[in-house]
Amino acid sequence: MSRKNSTGLRPAAAGSTILMGALSASLIGGTAHAAEAAAANAATQLGDERQIVVTGQRPSDANPNADPDAPYRVQRSSNGRLTEEVRDTPRSVTIVPKEVLEDIGAQSFREAVRSVPGVTLGTGEGGNAFGDRIFIRGFEARNDVYIDGMRDPGVSSREIFAVEQIEIVRGPSSFLGGRGTTGGAVSLESKTPLDSDFIIGEGSIGTENMYRGTLDINQNIGDDFAFRLNGLYHNADTPGRDYVFSERYGIAGALVWEPAPGFTLAADYYHFRLDGMSDYGQPFDTDTQEPFDVDGDNFYGVVGRDFLENGSDIGTVTLRYSEEDLVEVRSMFRYGEVYNRYIVSAPRAPCRFALNADGSCSNAGPELPLDQWTVAVGSPQRNATTRYYANITDATFRFDTGGIGHTLVTGFEYSNERISNRRYAIPDFVEDGGGNQINTPTSFVRNLLDPNPVLGFDIPVSLDPTPPTVTEVDAMGVYLIDTIKFSPQFEALLGIRFDTYDIDQFQPARIFRGQPLPASQIGNGAEFVNYQAALVYKPVEPLTIYGSFSTSSNPSGEQLDATNDVYGGLQTGTDALQPERNTAFEIGVKYEPNDNLLLTAAMFHITKDNAREQTAPGVFALVGEQRSQGIELSAAGNPLPGVSVFAGYAFVDAEITDSADPTVIGSRFANIPRHSGNILVTFEPFPGFQIGGQVYAQSRIFGGTLGAGTPSVDGYVRLDAVARYRLSEQAELRLNVLNLTDERYYDAIYRSGAPFAYVAPGRSAFLTLTAGF
């Protein structure tokens, strides 16, 4: 392997990968575990006979799946079930490599997907978890997040310090990932041991009291053993938000050992902790149905009570055996614990009148001046722990039958997930320093224009003595995927998967909205089959034209962070229903105008023709119909020597086409923009200096439950900038400026008629020093 640049810093020569990082000691990633990816890449990363051969200079920590000369362009998925290069895979696949993550300044999963067209951020609410909630092609995907191809249950706030690349497979994908995946799935692929030795450290300092440090160590011991260690510490306030901060730390260790030719053992452990302040944003004006025009820094929470804590401990072991290029067998085992704990204040519709003695709005009398309007904030909360264990065992065979080539993947997957969800007990009174008792209501009142969220004392909270609500899922799947090559011009992909899904949920006796509710236990069992059938035509080698048909299934209770159907959870009335079914058609073109650039275009049409709906109190039926259709465009790589591009555009037309409620027929999906697009361009005006920037834009979004209502937030255009300067062969400086114009915009809208809106971060800047040894 070429090791001309063993420090891991990006080469200074133009025409190499320009402004795409090579440093990448950013580790922690909300999920990076080096198991499947470590074993998957072991055959090309360890041992002399498996070395990666490249031309020119290549950073020692470079993404092994990326184009050596154009790291923005990832050539291959880390998912072993997708056996062909991205160019020849018959579906839309967006892969965001760590070099792009660096250049857009992303330091969390949420920040990374915020810049991906067609992937939309959503809100955590009272009925679903506060954390990484996303939509793909208009459909819920918060429980369709994977780590190295294995589902990562438990909604939380993920980091990306140990992530090599983020893969977004679009369109119904149950034949790959099991339940869900209506609009697609996202997998965070881990940093794994490489065949070069390096130590890379990064230190960042920036506005908003931002401090971040990462360390990436890769070492080879002999020809058959390698390990990689990533570490992170991060502490920063949220740009443009008073009192909101995040402190994070993590460690991710991975090793690969080859005890005998063809046999590898990979193991990894991921540990992550987050401590911060929860933030539900700002209230809406019920007259204009848009966010109130208040100071963007206004924080309506309760400093002294509110908090946010996330944690992950996940271990993975992967055994792999391969025989030349004919057979590869893999068995991947994982155990994980993920927790999400918080109390957050939800700013309700402002009160324009005098308050009653109990602090409630009188809703009568003369309207007060604007500077006397108030906002009441509640206390949505959660103490949820997800424990799970899972196994994927599969085999890949490559053979010919009568001159027709086959790459056949067949396998088995099993998982057990157990989610325990409790509430907190908030005391009615606390004592101040003088021994006086102070009332501590669950709802506080804030001035609309000048909220003062600081209590001046802490409210101690403890777990409510009520036993937790417990949800347990056993899921099993078997699958068969065959890529058939009839000739250099014609290929086909046929994939089928059979799944079983058994869910049980126990809710203890409890008080809900002042009413006692008895204990209950419900469950649902389902079996479903999903598939993809696709044809590929290559009139010339650089051009791929494909057509695909695929399906997916959504069983009742699929969204395990929820306990009622409004948010996708299980409840009485849905426990006897069969899964929702989704079908999709997609046609697309992928083209390489040169060796370092991939252009793609796709048209899609997704139909859910038996959507769950409540037809009467406590009565549910599969009677609705939803449709999402649109186009997607992308470009990744180097269009010219010294110029790198990562760009995309998505048009999503998603609406309710049939319903038991005729008033919602024709409504577009809530929280989904019709148009979204980005373009990141970097170039090197002279050796050693690189500069570039990103433009991201999206159109207006409307709030609502499923169908959009009248509350909305404007579309926006956000500008980011990046510059790099090479100090020496061992050191480099990178400057990121995010939201350059300090545009105030909103990520998502809560689903009520008087909602609140998530405020996106304001302008920030940080300087990063990278040193490699």
Side-chain angles (χ1 to χ4, degrees):
M1 173 175 179
S2 173
R3 296 191 186 183
K4 296 180 181 178
N5 185 10
S6 61
T7 63
L9 300 178
R10 76 177 63 208
S16 230
T17 125
I18 327 270
L19 186 3
M20 315 307 179
L23 342 120
S24 182
S26 278
L27 346 232
I28 153 184
T31 50
H33 318 295
E36 178 186 13
N41 293 319
T44 56
Q45 294 170 353
L46 286 177
D48 294 339
E49 72 278 14
R50 298 178 304 283
Q51 290 178 347
I52 302 171
V53 179
V54 300
T55 58
Q57 293 180 317
R58 179 183 176 92
S60 57
D61 71 333
N63 185 344
N65 302 305
D67 185 331
D69 297 316
Y72 279 14
R73 180 199 165 202
V74 179
Q75 296 173 299
R76 185 174 292 276
S77 166
S78 293
N79 189 332
R81 298 171 215 179
L82 297 176
T83 59
E84 305 304 303
E85 289 192 5
V86 172
R87 184 193 67 182
D88 296 328
T89 299
R91 60 169 47 236
S92 292
V93 180
T94 301
I95 301 182
V96 186
K98 66 174 183 252
E99 289 81 7
V100 169
L101 297 176
E102 289 180 357
D103 286 344
I104 66 174
Q107 296 174 342
S108 69
F109 176 78
R110 187 177 182 86
E111 293 170 357
V113 298
R114 181 185 276 117
S115 294
V116 177
V119 180
T120 309
L121 296 175
T123 64
E125 303 167 6
N128 67 273
F130 181 80
D132 294 332
R133 186 184 185 192
I134 59 172
F135 300 86
I136 304 175
R137 288 183 172 175
F139 292 97
E140 183 78 61
R142 71 181 186 271
N143 278 291
D144 297 325
V145 179
Y146 296 72
I147 296 171
D148 299 328
M150 182 177 282
R151 190 182 298 271
D152 179 38
V155 177
S156 61
S157 301
R158 299 173 177 89
E159 241 276 1
I160 57 171
F161 77 97
V163 169
E164 194 78 72
Q165 61 193 40
I166 298 175
E167 302 186 6
I168 303 165
V169 178
R170 301 173 188 261
S173 306
S174 286
F175 88 102
L176 289 173
R179 69 182 188 264
T181 69
T182 311
V186 179
S187 185
L188 290 84
E189 302 298 327
S190 305
K191 293 181 179 179
T192 61
L194 302 174
D195 69 344
S196 57
D197 295 341
F198 57 82
I199 300 174
I200 301 175
E202 282 193 355
S204 300
I205 184 170
T207 60
E208 310 300 329
N209 301 309
M210 184 271 202
Y211 302 93
R212 182 181 176 94
T214 64
L215 185 66
D216 189 356
I217 302 173
N218 193 93
Q219 294 292 310
N220 289 260
I221 302 174
D223 293 333
D224 55 15
F225 185 88
F227 73 88
R228 191 169 185 179
L229 184 67
N230 288 307
L232 163 86
Y233 178 76
H234 174 105
N235 196 342
D237 297 336
T238 298
R241 302 293 294 143
D242 287 343
Y243 305 103
V244 183
F245 71 95
S246 175
E247 182 178 22
R248 314 193 288 261
Y249 64 89
I251 187 168
L255 61 86
V256 177
W257 176 42
E258 185 177 22
F263 181 78
T264 59
L265 168 67
D268 70 80
Y269 170 68
Y270 175 78
H271 173 84
F272 171 65
R273 295 294 184 267
L274 177 151
D275 182 12
M277 174 61 75
S278 54
D279 180 19
Y280 263 179
Q282 297 185 332
F284 257 61
D285 185 336
T286 54
D287 286 341
T288 65
Q289 290 293 286
E290 293 185 358
F292 261 104
D293 186 17
V294 297
D295 190 326
D297 291 348
N298 279 3
F299 178 63
Y300 296 88
V302 181
V303 178
R305 184 200 67 179
D306 296 357
F307 66 93
L308 172 65
E309 296 176 353
N310 289 165
S312 299
D313 288 281
I314 304 172
T316 310
V317 175
T318 302
L319 305 175
R320 187 182 298 268
Y321 175 76
S322 61
E323 184 175 337
E324 297 181 342
D325 195 36
L326 301 177
V327 178
E328 186 172 347
V329 181
R330 173 194 66 161
S331 191
M332 180 180 181
F333 303 85
R334 177 175 294 166
Y335 177 79
E337 296 187 6
V338 179
Y339 67 78
N340 187 9
R341 305 165 183 166
Y342 58 83
I343 297 178
V344 59
S345 297
R348 299 168 182 164
C351 176
R352 309 176 181 212
F353 306 98
L355 299 178
N356 296 319
D358 61 359
S360 62
C361 184
S362 64
N363 290 313
E367 185 173 295
L368 298 173
L370 180 62
D371 61 0
Q372 297 181 37
W373 290 12
T374 56
V375 176
V377 298
S379 55
Q381 54 184 270
R382 184 173 297 248
N383 183 303
T385 300
T386 300
R387 297 179 175 88
Y388 67 99
Y389 54 90
N391 170 256
I392 297 176
T393 299
D394 57 21
T396 302
F397 304 92
R398 296 176 177 86
F399 57 92
D400 293 338
T401 58
I404 299 175
H406 295 265
T407 302
L408 182 69
V409 181
T410 181
F412 166 86
E413 182 171 355
Y414 172 78
S415 65
N416 175 274
E417 304 162 36
R418 183 181 176 88
I419 301 91
S420 174
N421 190 5
R422 303 185 68 174
R423 292 183 60 81
Y424 287 98
I426 300 175
D428 294 330
F429 298 92
V430 297
E431 287 191 1
D432 64 10
N436 300 311
Q437 286 193 332
I438 302 175
N439 181 262
T440 58
T442 57
S443 179
F444 288 84
V445 176
R446 302 280 178 253
N447 182 272
L448 171 65
L449 301 183
D450 187 22
N452 179 12
V454 180
L455 294 179
F457 57 90
D458 290 336
I459 299 177
V461 297
S462 58
L463 284 177
D464 191 293
T466 303
T469 296
V470 176
T471 304
E472 185 167 5
V473 168
D474 277 294
M476 184 275 292
V478 292
Y479 51 90
L480 181 70
I481 305 168
D482 192 7
T483 300
I484 307 168
K485 297 186 178 182
F486 300 101
S487 70
Q489 288 75 40
F490 291 96
E491 299 178 10
L493 183 147
L494 300 175
I496 188 168
R497 174 167 172 146
F498 169 77
D499 280 275
T500 64
Y501 179 84
D502 293 289
I503 180 172
D504 288 290
Q505 179 179 287
F506 171 75
Q507 286 191 314
R510 61 205 182 281
I511 303 297
F512 180 71
R513 294 178 179 174
Q515 299 297 319
L517 296 177
S520 65
Q521 184 165 0
I522 55 177
N524 179 270
E527 298 178 349
F528 41 93
V529 176
N530 290 286
Y531 54 91
Q532 179 180 3
L535 291 175
V536 174
Y537 173 53
K538 296 176 65 65
V540 291
E541 179 58 26
L543 178 64
T544 299
I545 303 170
Y546 69 89
S548 172
F549 177 80
S550 61
T551 69
S552 66
S553 301
N554 302 106
S556 293
E558 170 200 355
Q559 305 299 339
L560 302 182
D561 59 321
T563 56
N564 62 71
D565 182 72
V566 174
Y567 297 91
L570 192 68
Q571 72 176 68
T572 301
T574 68
D575 51 343
L577 294 180
Q578 291 298 306
E580 297 176 320
R581 299 285 298 167
N582 314 286
T583 58
F585 297 92
E586 180 175 317
I587 58 173
V589 178
K590 301 182 181 183
Y591 177 58
E592 292 179 331
N594 62 46
D595 291 337
N596 304 129
L597 178 67
L598 178 64
L599 307 177
T600 70
M603 299 176 61
F604 65 89
H605 181 100
I606 304 173
T607 301
K608 183 190 292 289
D609 58 12
N610 64 337
R612 275 186 301 272
E613 290 192 359
Q614 185 170 354
T615 57
V619 179
F620 294 83
L622 302 174
V623 295
E625 184 176 288
Q626 302 161 14
R627 185 266 296 145
S628 176
Q629 61 187 13
I631 61 173
E632 293 165 341
L633 309 173
S634 71
N638 293 9
L640 297 170
V643 178
S644 299
V645 172
F646 188 84
Y649 166 76
F651 168 72
V652 179
D653 175 23
E655 68 175 45
I656 300 171
T657 53
D658 197 8
S659 172
D661 180 2
T663 64
V664 301
I665 296 176
S667 298
R668 58 191 291 184
F669 285 10
N671 263 320
I672 307 301
R674 289 186 183 272
H675 304 275
S676 57
N678 82 301
I679 179 168
L680 168 67
V681 179
T682 61
F683 67 98
E684 189 173 24
F686 54 85
F689 179 68
Q690 299 164 340
I691 191 169
Q694 174 181 245
V695 179
Y696 180 86
Q698 76 173 39
S699 58
R700 178 180 291 270
I701 62 174
F702 292 83
T705 303
L706 175 62
T710 54
S712 69
V713 295
D714 284 338
Y716 63 90
V717 177
R718 188 190 74 237
L719 306 177
D720 305 321
V722 62
R724 294 178 183 264
Y725 179 67
R726 192 174 186 81
L727 301 173
S728 68
E729 288 298 313
Q730 290 76 36
E732 182 183 67
L733 282 175
R734 182 179 82 246
L735 175 65
N736 291 89
V737 182
L738 309 182
N739 195 357
L740 191 64
T741 62
D742 201 22
E743 175 79 5
R744 191 204 295 186
Y745 65 98
Y746 302 89
D747 283 335
I749 310 173
Y750 181 64
R751 59 193 297 158
S752 73
F756 53 82
Y758 274 18
V759 184
R763 179 171 51 225
S764 65
F766 58 92
L767 185 67
T768 301
L769 173 65
T770 302
F773 306 94

